[in-house]
Amino acid sequence: KILLPVPNTSKQLITIDVDRAISFIRCHEKARESFEEEFCEDGMMTDSMKIVIKESLDESKCAEAKLKSYKVDDVKDAKTHLFCIMLLNKASRLIEKMTLNGLLTKK
């Protein structure tokens, strides 16, 4: 179980909301791509399929509206924070892999 710090400032709450909205939008994009690849042959969609895609787009629009409700600088700061976390995680995995393969040693 991963324990996350409890946000104690409005800036932290904004960062969490922005991170969630960005992740939500990206997940819906990926889900739509997968759905279309898996179920839509030759770009043909049934009415039910169109409803699923539309609902996903509507959900993404709600998340985008949430992003737009914040100041541009706050969103930029949150995106920068998210990007830094991604880079640190990637670097950490690379170091771990290199250590396991004997390319780095613990000294």
Side-chain angles (χ1 to χ4, degrees):
K1 182 177 180 181
I2 298 173
L3 297 176
L4 299 174
V6 177
N8 58 4
T9 67
S10 61
K11 190 82 160 173
Q12 288 174 322
L13 291 172
I14 291 169
T15 298
I16 290 169
D17 277 351
V18 170
D19 288 352
R20 283 182 186 154
I22 290 170
S23 297
F24 189 82
I25 291 165
R26 187 68 186 129
C27 287
H28 269 275
E29 287 171 354
K30 285 294 209 179
R32 285 192 303 272
E33 288 171 12
S34 295
F35 181 84
E36 289 176 8
E37 286 174 15
E38 186 72 27
F39 300 109
C40 303
E41 295 178 21
D42 300 324
M44 299 295 292
M45 281 196 251
T46 65
D47 288 342
S48 298
M49 292 173 169
K50 290 176 185 176
I51 290 171
V52 169
I53 296 293
K54 183 185 179 314
E55 287 175 354
S56 175
L57 288 168
D58 289 346
E59 291 293 324
S60 292
K61 286 178 186 173
C62 288
E64 288 171 10
K66 181 69 173 176
L67 287 176
K68 289 179 182 177
S69 72
Y70 293 115
K71 295 177 186 173
V72 173
D73 286 341
D74 288 340
V75 174
K76 284 182 185 178
D77 289 348
K79 284 182 175 182
T80 300
H81 182 259
L82 180 60
F83 183 67
C84 289
I85 289 170
M86 292 166 64
L87 287 176
L88 286 171
N89 285 333
K90 188 170 185 161
S92 175
R93 287 190 304 274
L94 178 61
I95 290 169
E96 182 179 359
K97 183 178 177 181
M98 291 174 76
T99 302
L100 290 172
N101 290 327
L103 299 171
L104 288 176
T105 57
K106 297 179 182 178
K107 289 186 180 183

